[in-house]
Amino acid sequence: MWEGLRLQVIFLCLGAALWSSAAAATYRGSVPRESGHRRHLSSHRHRERGKEGQVLHRSKRGWVWNQFFVIEEYTGPDPVLVGRLHSDVDQGDGDIKYILSGEGAGTIFVIDDKTGNIHATKTLDREEQAQYTLTAQAVARDTNKPLEPPSEFIVKVQDINDNPPEFLHGPYYARVAEMSNVGTSVIKVTATDADDPTYGNSARLVYSILQGQPYFSVEPQTGIIRTALPNMDREARQEYDVVIQAKDMGGHMGGLSGTTQVKITLTDVNDNPPKFAQGVYAMTVSEDKVPGEEVGRLKAKDPDIAENGLVDYRILEGDGMNFFEITKDSDTQEAVIKLKKPVDFETKRSYSLKVEATNPHMDSRFIAWGPYKDTTLVKIAVEDADEPPAFINPSYNFEVEENAPAGTLVGRVHAKDTDMMNNPVRYMIPRYTDLEEFFTINPEDGIIKTTRHLDREVQTWHNISVSATEIGGHHQDAKVRVNIKVKDVNDNAPEFATQSEVFVCENVNPGKLIETVSAVDKDEMAHRQHFHFSLAPEVANNQNFSLKDNRDSTASIVVIRKGFSRMTQDVYHLPIEINDNGVPPMSSTNTLIVRVCSCDSKDTILSCNVEPFILSAGLSTGALIAILACIVILLAIVVLFVALRRQKKEPLIVFEEEDIRENIITYDDEGGGEEDTEAFDIATLQNPDGANGFLARKDIKPELQYAMRPGLRPIGNSVDVDDFIKTRITDADNDPTAPPYDSIQIYGYEGRGSVAGSLSSLESVTTDSDLDYDYLQSWGPRFKKLADLYGTKDSADDNS
């Protein structure tokens, strides 16, 4: 393709050169200087004598060039040679330099400054720019001085057929009346082509129809779509999708094409009369209805739409003309028969009416197709009693898949009031028929839904009742049986039919069938569905047993080695995978327990217990039982002894009820440092008699006074209990004759009105006693204070 384009460029350049030569000859004879197509620059100079004898030199101008052409969309490997500029002053010695400027100079068009060859370096698109105006000039190479004035020339981009036709306004939507004559204009479609309409056939378009025959046709030159079939009926088909193609190059081979869609809709005309679906309509009316209430409805169907489908109704005759009237529901186009006067069941039990339906708008073109009306007979029966709602079906059978999410639709029951009152009905499920409340029903429309997941394996059928109660009137109700079947879903994996152990003799021979296993599945088995058995991957290559799938939902377990030993291993666990081949497939791994037994020569099992071999090497069964019994007895004795010790254990201090004093506080605080001031209320240790003032101490000061250490002073009332206690402890530690005032302060109070007085043994220092307290000296440093206190008194008594 590119070689063809190159040849075309060469031919165009040759043609341009020939045309340029002819134009140059004409130019020399007529135009002295400027021309829009050609200029010539020559090195010949003519000498002319001017005034005053001055010799004048005149340069003969003339570029050997012409208007240039270049083909668009050229994508060859080399730049396109657009043309060549040559000046007569160019002697070929390289002293002349050609300069190019203007549109695209240096970017799109480049010039060889020595030869004057102009090349296009980029692909050109005529649809973007059809021509370029450039300026050429010859200058001296060494001085860059112009040797000729600049001259303009034009490079035109020659068009090729590279743009397909386009429908700028597609897709199109059109309407045409049904039953139109052949050739009726529907719509005109127009395509545009971006190629040059003045050059060749690139922009010459021809229209054709690709889709929509034989209903429509299109004019090739204008694009007008017309009907092609007569009596196209909207009621048979209303919309048509038509595809129109526009092709350039006059529709010839090799041209580019574009398509558009045209959706054509047939509009309606009144070409169909109204028609009742039945020749006789039966209705009922209760005798307790009041005038104005609706008795029933009927409708004459007209396939036409809009005003062409409007229908008017009237009663032509009948014995019920005085008792009933007819109106039209404008929304549904139904005839509504209403009660005009009260009816009496005992007087007359039935009435008949002849009703006519007509089109109010007639089309004169189709009157001959008439008549545009229809009649029917309406029979109205008078009812006497009020009846409960009636279900459409005597019973309902529904199905729902197991494991369906809560809220899944099960089905719908429908009941209606058989009376002409047509009262609404409310539905409910009596709880005694659905104790676990698997289902719920919408009280308004009777739609039954699930409330939880259903499991077919637990319960396959759910038999419930639905009650329909008439709202208003006498609140009569009716019940219907609803049977709901839970459809099976393959949600249970198969398992062994039995879980019994398999016994194998120690001296079993290889290849012996020891067991045929089968499986069961809680799900329903489909036709030709069977279980597939295989060994688990971890034991697929074991050297003891093999499995053969019998393809009848059973598998055979065969021994593949000879000789087993209970001493080495008495039990083998053989995991087997079972697949039910359902949708979705479910599988499980079940373990088959194979126990090695001792057998006689006839393969009769003698013993499968490994215990005799173990007991022979150690103790007998009776000895083990005796040892265990002794251990249990010893444990019972230990437990009994501990229980008795707990019962006999008494507390170290017994607080009898009568010994409790209201000001004695017992607590188990182990001391928290500074936290004690917050954890315990020191006010509870104070004597209530001294709460508001000073309380005199009841102890007797010792005769020996110990001087207070210098620097120590009595501490007054302070809110810091910790400092107060520490000060008192320091005083007590430094005064050997001082009693423990803090303990006396805590325990010396006996309560108000006590006749016993103080029970503190510390006051015994003032009484006569024969007790000897010298033994306190041997009790250690903890009792040094008591020893010094009482020992000092005894010493003082001895000295006196």
Side-chain angles (χ1 to χ4, degrees), residues 559-598:
V559 177
I560 60 176
R561 77 178 179 92
K562 181 179 181 180
F564 292 86
S565 175
R566 287 186 296 163
M567 294 296 295
T568 303
Q569 185 174 352
D570 63 329
V571 176
Y572 292 85
H573 294 85
L574 189 64
I576 299 175
E577 289 187 356
I578 310 176
N579 192 305
D580 62 4
N581 297 315
V583 179
M586 299 291 292
S587 63
S588 66
T589 301
N590 296 258
T591 301
L592 181 66
I593 300 176
V594 181
R595 186 175 297 277
V596 180
C597 302
S598 174

Side-chain angles (χ1 to χ4, degrees), residues 658-659 661 664 698 744 747-751 754-764 790:
E658 59 272 17
D659 293 334
R661 299 293 184 266
I664 296 178
K698 295 182 180 181
I744 295 175
Y747 302 103
Y749 176 64
E750 300 295 339
S754 175
V755 296
S758 176
L759 299 178
S760 176
S761 61
L762 298 178
E763 294 185 357
S764 61
Y790 292 97

Side-chain angles (χ1 to χ4, degrees), residues 18-127:
L18 294 175
W19 183 83
S20 175
S21 300
T26 306
Y27 168 77
R28 291 191 184 98
S30 59
V31 181
R33 293 198 59 177
E34 297 181 359
S35 172
H37 300 283
R38 172 180 172 274
R39 301 189 67 173
H40 184 270
L41 180 62
S42 176
S43 60
H44 302 285
R45 299 181 179 273
H46 300 273
R47 297 188 177 185
E48 296 181 357
R49 290 190 175 273
K51 297 178 181 181
E52 300 180 354
Q54 183 180 1
V55 178
L56 301 178
H57 299 275
R58 180 170 61 89
S59 298
K60 184 178 180 181
R61 294 179 175 275
W63 288 93
V64 182
W65 64 348
N66 199 349
Q67 189 179 58
F68 297 139
F69 295 86
V70 60
I71 295 179
E72 66 170 337
E73 304 294 344
Y74 175 73
T75 57
D78 301 324
V80 179
L81 177 62
V82 179
R84 180 180 182 184
L85 300 180
H86 183 75
S87 176
D88 290 340
V89 298
D90 188 357
Q91 301 299 324
D93 53 3
D95 294 336
I96 304 299
K97 181 171 68 173
Y98 296 95
I99 299 176
L100 187 67
S101 62
E103 295 178 325
T107 57
I108 299 176
F109 302 98
V110 296
I111 187 171
D112 189 332
D113 59 355
K114 292 181 180 181
T115 63
N117 290 337
I118 301 175
H119 291 82
T121 61
K122 295 184 178 179
T123 301
L124 303 181
D125 189 354
R126 190 200 67 82
E127 286 71 35

Side-chain angles (χ1 to χ4, degrees), residues 274-283 297-301 316-317 337 351-357 374-380:
K275 187 71 176 178
F276 285 107
Q278 301 172 213
V280 178
Y281 288 86
M283 300 181 182
R297 295 189 174 210
L298 66 159
K299 183 178 182 180
K301 294 183 179 180
L316 295 179
E317 58 184 11
I337 298 178
Y351 297 88
S352 61
L353 300 172
K354 187 176 183 180
V355 179
E356 180 188 70
D374 192 19
T375 59
T376 188
L377 184 64
V378 179
K379 293 185 177 181
I380 304 174

